[in-house]
Amino acid sequence: MELPVYIDGKREGTLTMERHGAATVIRADIRDVGRVVRLRLYGDGEGYLGIPVPENGRQVLTKRLTALEMRRLPSAPTYAAEAPMRGEARRTAPEPSRMPEHGETAPERKTHVVWRGGKPYYF
């Protein structure tokens, strides 16, 4: 399956998804836009893919995911981008934050860390 990759509203590359045995290999190949790109997959929901790394003048992301890991991604993806395309409704809008009630635990937060030039960047 081949999908378009949009950065700042322009098509900048392609994302391919192929089955290899029990795993699915996702490879994004985009034009080097000169900054860090946080790629997400959109369709009937959204899922975080990761940050492409520079390779031969392009930015490339390669992931090998099991069937269990693929559940976190949309089952019918249509495109990859940093943010939903203009006019695209967010189907997985975050719930408003609230304080946990007595006996209830707070939801776990996931933090991503990228090391660039010996410095950590958290998002």
Side-chain angles (χ1 to χ4, degrees), residues 22-62:
T24 301
V25 176
I26 297 175
R27 180 172 170 81
D29 183 16
I30 61 175
R31 183 180 71 80
D32 189 2
V33 294
R35 62 180 175 82
V36 175
V37 175
R38 292 173 183 88
L39 213 52
R40 292 185 167 276
L41 190 61
Y42 293 94
D44 57 346
E46 72 177 65
Y48 181 73
L49 291 175
I51 298 175
V53 296
E55 185 178 295
N56 296 328
R58 312 259 316 150
Q59 288 185 333
V60 177
L61 171 76
T62 303

Side-chain angles (χ1 to χ4, degrees), residues 46-48 63 65 67-74 110:
E46 72 177 65
Y48 181 73
K63 293 193 97 146
L65 303 175
L68 186 60
E69 293 169 320
M70 284 296 292
R71 283 197 213 165
R72 296 182 302 189
L73 299 177
K110 294 185 180 181

Side-chain angles (χ1 to χ4, degrees), residues 64-87:
R64 187 179 185 91
L65 303 175
T66 64
L68 186 60
E69 293 169 320
M70 284 296 292
R71 283 197 213 165
R72 296 182 302 189
L73 299 177
S75 59
T78 55
Y79 66 94
E82 284 187 292
M85 295 296 291
R86 188 170 220 180

